[in-house]
Amino acid sequence: MGKAIDAKNLNIYYSSFLAVEGVNMTIRPKTVTALIGPSGCGKSTFLRSINRMHEVIPGARVEGRLELDGKDLYGPGVDPVGVRRQIGMVFQRPNPFPTMSIYDNVIAGQRLNNKKMKKDATDDLVEQSLRGANLWNEVKDRLDKPGSSMSGGQQQRLCIARAIAVQPDVLLMDEPCSALDPISTLAIEDLINELKMDYTIVIVTHNMQQAARVSDFTGFFNIEGTGKPGHLVEMDETKTIFSQPKEKATEDYVSGRFG
Amino acid sequence: MQQPGDRIFAASARGAGILILVVLAGVAAFLVIQAIPALVANPADLPGGKNIAVYVAPFVFGTVVSSAIALIIATPLAIAVALFITHYAPRRLAQGLGYLIDLLAAVPSIVFGLWGLAVLAPAMLGLSTWLNTYLGWIPLFAGPVSVTGRTMLVVGVTLAVMILPIITAVSREVFLQTPKLHEEAALALGATRWEMIRMSVLPFGRSGIISGAMLGLGRALGETMAVAIILSGSSIITFNLISSGNSSSIAANIALNFPDSTGVAVNTLIASGLVLFVITLLVNSLARYIINRRREFSGAN
Ligand SMILES: Nc1ncnc2c1ncn2[C@@H]1O[C@H](COP(=O)(O)OP(=O)(O)OP(=O)(O)O)[C@@H](O)[C@H]1O
Ligand SMILES: [Mg+2]
């Protein structure tokens, strides 16, 4: 668990539109990497290309290489379904399956992997995953209730529990706190800090303080103008990015002066 | 303090709701009042000279069996077609197919009836013979096989073709409504397309599928012309679907006999219509019940 990601000259397209250009990025195992940048610069697009969710959109494709511990994720014969089982994802809006109970939500991914699991093994997995997502104490008495019967923050932690239940190597999070109140946000940030013991985490956020609080490394994406492709301006240790970035654009952005 | 617009809208919505109830109550009242003479009449005066229940039973049976065959065949097929259109076919093909299905829904039932009689009945002779030869030990296919092909099975299949478009159209609409969010949740967990459909599309569309099936069933239960054309019904109850002795349906029986009926015979036919009305209400209530039973899991919140 906890593998490295390497993007090499990655270009990401929506049909003929080049959305993100020439990304070179190395993400170390068991670290938290924050991706920041103005709206539309391609943070989500890049994040979704890591677990090949990008290509779910008709016409979407990538050029270049993307490696997980040296293995090309876009190589010939690599099944995107397999990639997604290794690289979990948490979305901006909490999306537990409304037609499933809390319990079934947690093991939804496991059910896909191997159909047959003993009842007590599944029970253990559910408890362990919910504990891992700091949700166990809140829901242990109502595991059979629908996932949509919880608060937004709890739903988001349920989604995290669902993602870690399949023990992925990497966890991708696209603005996981943007729909949540400050208390729920703190709960998720604490959780991210614990999860990096086991997982490589990449998180997109618009909240500078959040990036500073949770991440070890930060990548700054920018865009020259509308219609132009987004690109990675620089990536460094988070404290370097926030105190003495190499690029002027980064400094302007993190200090709130948009250029 | 409500806005005038809100008040007008609330009033007209309430008015429309009440109007529907009034019409429904009016229909029910008409049926009951007109049916009473037949219910209290001397059995000897009724068509067939028997008890009213004995008279109506074969038609109830024919109605239910033909509709059940239609529903069993049409529902899975409709779901498959709707899924193909929404999740598998390329955009162009999907649009064309969707259009075609909507068009099929508008074909009058008399056309389906003629088609069933002229094309389907002879075409299904082979199948009926095969069923009789290899599955003849099941009472449904006991035979002897009707040479004209005017059988309950042919009626069921014709009705299935007839209700397929409406079930497909409703299912397609609800499948398209599946939130992207939940489809992506499944895909991001490493679901294949089919697994994604099973995890998010089908559960989400469940109540829509049931509603569509009920609309189709309603059409099949009340179908008159197609059944009247294909079946030469008699007053028997038999599970044998492929022989020439068949019970007709309530609606077809009314249509065939109403013009020549007078007096209490008319009341008898209306009484059978009342039974059809009740069947339809029961079926719809059952569907409501199924949909509501797992409401909190419906995804509609
Ligand atoms: N489904 C799509 N089809 C076509 N173009 C898209 C699609 N999704 C995004 N884009 C385009 O790709 C570019 C990058 O979008 P993306 O959503 O990755 O930005 P982002 O950095 O995540 O923005 P935000 O901070 O607002 O979430 C934008 O120009 C956007 O219009
Ligand atoms: Mg985004």
Side-chain angles (χ1 to χ4, degrees), chain B residues 96-270:
Chain B
L97 269 176
Y99 186 68
L100 196 74
I101 299 276
D102 287 344
L103 212 65
L104 265 182
V107 173
S109 58
I110 182 86
V111 175
F112 281 110
L114 289 172
W115 173 78
L117 182 65
V119 180
L120 200 59
M124 280 186 51
L125 266 183
L127 176 67
S128 297
T129 314
W130 186 90
L131 285 172
N132 180 239
T133 313
Y134 294 100
L135 298 172
W137 48 272
I138 304 175
L140 296 176
F141 310 121
V145 176
S146 157
V147 287
T148 58
R150 301 171 70 168
T151 63
M152 196 55 115
L153 189 62
V154 169
V155 170
V157 174
T158 308
L159 290 178
V161 174
M162 204 151 78
I163 66 177
L164 184 69
I166 181 83
I167 306 181
T168 308
V170 174
S171 305
R172 186 193 58 187
E173 281 314 310
V174 292
F175 293 164
L176 284 175
Q177 306 290 326
T178 316
K180 270 267 150 335
L181 214 59
H182 296 130
E183 294 194 6
E184 293 201 333
L187 290 174
L189 278 180
T192 61
R193 195 182 328 209
W194 171 235
E195 288 166 337
M196 180 273 283
I197 286 172
R198 278 206 339 243
M199 287 172 89
S200 48
V201 178
L202 289 181
F204 183 85
R206 187 169 156 278
S207 62
I209 296 171
I210 295 178
S211 302
M214 285 310 118
L215 279 177
L217 182 59
R219 195 172 171 192
L221 285 172
E223 179 47 36
T224 311
M225 290 324 295
V227 182
I229 289 181
I230 296 173
L231 281 188
S232 50
S234 47
S235 286
I236 59 169
I237 294 183
T238 170
F239 277 104
N240 193 339
L241 303 181
I242 56 174
S243 68
S244 50
N246 287 298
S247 37
S248 185
S249 77
I250 296 176
N253 179 58
I254 294 176
L256 288 176
N257 291 320
F258 204 86
D260 303 327
S261 297
T262 50
V264 78
V266 172
N267 299 112
T268 312
L269 291 177
I270 293 179

Side-chain angles (χ1 to χ4, degrees), chain A residues 1-5 28-31 68-69 71 73 82-88 163-164 166-172 195-196 198-202:
Chain A
M1 284 199 292
K3 290 188 178 168
I5 301 167
R28 297 210 205 136
K30 301 193 184 180
T31 59
L68 183 69
D69 267 2
K71 209 178 99 235
L73 290 178
V83 171
R84 291 176 205 141
R85 288 185 185 184
Q86 284 175 281
I87 305 180
I164 59 179
V166 292
Q167 281 141 2
D169 301 312
V170 179
L171 211 49
L172 307 175
L195 289 174
K196 78 170 173 186
D198 297 316
Y199 305 99
T200 307
I201 296 175
V202 187

Side-chain angles (χ1 to χ4, degrees), chain A residues 48 51 53 56 81 84-85 87 89 91 93-101 108-109 112 115 144-146 148 162, chain B residues 91 180-193 195 198-200 203-204 294 296-301:
Chain A
R48 289 166 59 95
N51 70 341
M53 277 300 284
V56 167
V81 168
R84 291 176 205 141
R85 288 185 185 184
I87 305 180
M89 186 162 213
F91 295 80
R93 283 184 47 209
N95 57 356
F97 296 112
T99 51
M100 292 183 194
S101 65
L112 295 173
K115 311 281 185 241
D144 57 339
K145 290 283 180 306
S148 49
R162 179 175 70 186
Chain B
R91 172 109 43 92
K180 270 267 150 335
L181 214 59
H182 296 130
E183 294 194 6
E184 293 201 333
L187 290 174
L189 278 180
T192 61
R193 195 182 328 209
E195 288 166 337
R198 278 206 339 243
M199 287 172 89
S200 48
F204 183 85
R294 277 171 61 87
E296 55 175 348
F297 286 92
S298 74
N301 36 28

